[in-house]
Amino acid sequence: MSFAAKATSDSKATLDLKAKVIVKSDNLKSDDRQAEKPDLEHPRDASWLKSTPTAEASEIEFSKRETPISKPEKPISKPAMPIAKPETTRLAGVTKENFLKTQSQASARQLLAEPSTSESSIAQASENTESLRQRLTIEPLTELRIPAYSPGSTVGVPSAFGANFGDAFIGLAFSNRRPRINESDGALSAGFGLGDSERALGLEVNANIGSLRRFGRNGDIGLKLHRALPGKAAIAIGLDEGIVWGEANRDTVSTFYGVASKIFDLRPTDQVNSLPLTLTLGVGGGRFRSFENIENRRGGVGVFASAGLRVVPQASAIASWTGQDLNLGVSYVPLKTTPLFLTFVVGNVLGRNDNNTLFSFGIGYGFNYAGYRY
């Protein structure tokens, strides 16, 4: 055999071997890739991979070693882990890709049609829990205390008890005469409180219009700093007529005073009416001076006092010494749950000054603009 014939024969054998390798490779293309790259997403669908013939795989490997394979121009980087790619492997007449697509669409339709079991269970459990909570809810135990208001304990003199933050009051009084003025007239007063006398100090601010006939022409502003003490007691210092205006007040002297008050329950075991007696004692200048000192425009101080006995829950009898004369009065609360106060006063009972007996009637209303605290 010539060299050319031998070369031709070798070439033919090589071509046959290449063709065989190609045929084997085409036949095993799908299965061989699946063997090298296991399906990570669907491990149960990899059962058909077990049918790959061992002999054919060996022959393919031999063919790959013997057959020259052209190298790609650019190297292909091998992934760190084999990633399964969707292949069109036949399984019972349905491709795997179509099967997955059909399964996904069906699942999606089912998910859109009705909620999942877990979501339904959670919603049901939430509804049951909320319903049970509502059935077992117990209303907070609140002690219902209807506010009851006490009548006044002084007439014509200040008390050591005063208004705190949120407390306010307004009053209107009428009298047949005023001190040293023999004509009937009226007066208007209003005030409010600041601070807290139980925790620290309370400050009461009051303003007074001295005449309704000449409304606004004269008046004054007063202050009282007070402190509550244990045992239903209190102390205070105050300044009456600290700021004055009007012709009628041109000779008015500001009144600085100190006062203490205490409540004694005469029948402490009585739950209906303990007969509280309020005693007040104070000292001050200004209007608490004696009549002679006022007429002669002399200084000095005077002593004032008051005793108020609540004979019934809504009414009290009061006697007050003003430093000049004696006042007697009655304070009455028509409705015990409404802070409306009526006061009847007979002044200058002993006739120790230039005025005859004075009669006056007052009406006052108190409220708390910050809300009542029970």
Side-chain angles (χ1 to χ4, degrees), residues 3-184:
F3 178 79
K6 189 174 185 304
T8 302
S9 176
D10 293 340
S11 300
K12 182 177 181 182
T14 302
L15 293 174
D16 292 341
L17 180 60
K18 289 182 177 180
K20 184 176 180 180
V21 170
I22 293 171
V23 170
K24 294 292 184 178
S25 300
D26 290 339
N27 292 336
L28 298 177
K29 179 179 180 181
S30 176
D31 293 343
D32 184 54
R33 291 184 179 178
Q34 289 293 339
E36 293 180 0
K37 301 178 181 179
D39 191 343
L40 300 178
E41 297 179 353
H42 304 280
R44 291 179 298 178
D45 297 338
S47 58
W48 62 78
L49 299 178
K50 298 180 181 179
S51 60
T52 305
T54 305
E56 293 180 357
S58 301
E59 186 175 0
I60 292 172
E61 292 296 327
F62 173 77
S63 301
K64 288 180 178 179
R65 287 195 301 268
E66 294 294 331
T67 306
I69 300 175
S70 60
K71 297 182 179 180
E73 296 179 359
K74 296 181 179 180
I76 301 175
S77 59
K78 186 177 181 180
M81 291 183 61
I83 301 176
K85 296 181 180 180
E87 301 292 344
T88 57
T89 304
R90 295 281 181 174
L91 180 62
V94 181
T95 64
K96 182 180 178 182
E97 182 178 2
N98 293 336
F99 174 78
L100 293 176
K101 289 182 178 181
T102 305
Q103 183 67 20
S104 301
Q105 293 176 0
S107 301
R109 286 194 297 269
Q110 184 178 3
L111 290 173
L112 293 174
E114 59 182 2
S116 63
T117 305
S118 60
E119 293 178 354
S120 300
S121 301
I122 293 173
Q124 184 68 21
S126 177
E127 292 178 1
N128 294 340
T129 302
E130 185 63 24
S131 176
L132 182 61
R133 182 182 292 108
Q134 292 179 358
R135 290 200 305 269
L136 296 180
T137 299
I138 300 176
E139 294 294 332
L141 299 178
T142 304
E143 182 181 0
L144 297 178
R145 298 177 58 188
I146 301 175
Y149 299 95
S150 302
S153 60
T154 63
V155 287
V157 297
S159 168
F161 299 101
N164 292 313
F165 175 78
D167 297 330
F169 58 88
I170 185 170
L172 185 64
F174 302 92
S175 62
N176 64 328
R177 58 191 299 153
R178 294 185 298 161
R180 298 175 296 279
I181 299 177
N182 294 321
E183 64 179 12
S184 60

Side-chain angles (χ1 to χ4, degrees), residues 51-365:
S51 60
T52 305
T54 305
E56 293 180 357
S58 301
E59 186 175 0
I60 292 172
E61 292 296 327
F62 173 77
S63 301
K64 288 180 178 179
R65 287 195 301 268
E66 294 294 331
T67 306
I69 300 175
S70 60
K71 297 182 179 180
E73 296 179 359
K74 296 181 179 180
I76 301 175
S77 59
K78 186 177 181 180
M81 291 183 61
I83 301 176
K85 296 181 180 180
E87 301 292 344
T88 57
T89 304
R90 295 281 181 174
L91 180 62
V94 181
T95 64
K96 182 180 178 182
E97 182 178 2
N98 293 336
F99 174 78
L100 293 176
K101 289 182 178 181
T102 305
Q103 183 67 20
S104 301
Q105 293 176 0
S107 301
R109 286 194 297 269
Q110 184 178 3
L111 290 173
L112 293 174
E114 59 182 2
S116 63
T117 305
S118 60
E119 293 178 354
S120 300
S121 301
I122 293 173
Q124 184 68 21
S126 177
E127 292 178 1
N128 294 340
T129 302
E130 185 63 24
S131 176
L132 182 61
R133 182 182 292 108
Q134 292 179 358
R135 290 200 305 269
L136 296 180
T137 299
I138 300 176
E139 294 294 332
L141 299 178
T142 304
E143 182 181 0
L144 297 178
R145 298 177 58 188
I146 301 175
Y149 299 95
S150 302
S153 60
T154 63
V155 287
V157 297
S159 168
F161 299 101
N164 292 313
F165 175 78
D167 297 330
F169 58 88
I170 185 170
L172 185 64
F174 302 92
S175 62
N176 64 328
R177 58 191 299 153
R178 294 185 298 161
R180 298 175 296 279
I181 299 177
N182 294 321
E183 64 179 12
S184 60
D185 203 346
L188 177 66
S189 64
F192 61 92
L194 299 173
D196 189 341
S197 62
E198 294 183 358
R199 296 183 179 181
L201 293 173
L203 177 64
E204 180 180 298
V205 181
N206 62 83
N208 305 283
I209 301 298
S211 173
L212 296 181
R213 287 178 176 269
R214 303 170 182 84
F215 187 81
R217 293 185 183 181
N218 65 294
D220 63 85
I221 296 176
L223 303 172
K224 180 169 66 174
L225 191 66
H226 54 96
R227 166 69 176 174
L229 300 176
K232 300 181 181 180
I235 56 175
I237 56 174
L239 180 64
D240 279 353
E241 301 168 338
I243 301 174
V244 298
W245 67 89
E247 183 180 355
N249 289 330
R250 65 179 181 271
D251 297 328
T252 299
V253 178
S254 297
T255 302
F256 183 80
Y257 64 89
V259 61
S261 299
K262 181 173 174 54
I263 300 174
F264 298 91
D265 292 325
L266 302 184
R267 293 191 306 195
T269 58
D270 193 333
Q271 300 295 330
V272 178
N273 184 14
S274 61
L275 284 179
L277 173 66
T278 303
L279 299 181
T280 298
L281 180 63
V283 60
R287 66 184 179 95
F288 299 121
R289 294 172 295 166
S290 65
F291 176 72
E292 292 78 10
N293 288 349
I294 293 176
E295 285 293 313
N296 298 323
R297 298 183 180 180
R298 294 197 300 261
V301 295
V303 177
F304 61 91
S306 179
L309 178 64
R310 194 191 309 174
V311 292
V312 294
Q314 294 175 235
S316 60
I318 307 166
S320 299
W321 175 259
T322 64
Q324 302 169 14
D325 211 319
L326 179 66
N327 292 342
L328 299 177
V330 174
S331 179
Y332 178 62
V333 179
L335 302 174
K336 63 180 180 180
T337 58
T338 302
L340 181 66
F341 306 90
L342 305 179
T343 305
F344 306 88
V345 180
V346 178
N348 301 326
V349 174
L350 302 179
R352 292 174 58 90
N353 54 34
D354 66 336
N355 290 324
N356 293 325
T357 304
L358 182 149
F359 298 94
S360 69
F361 167 73
I363 180 171
Y365 184 81

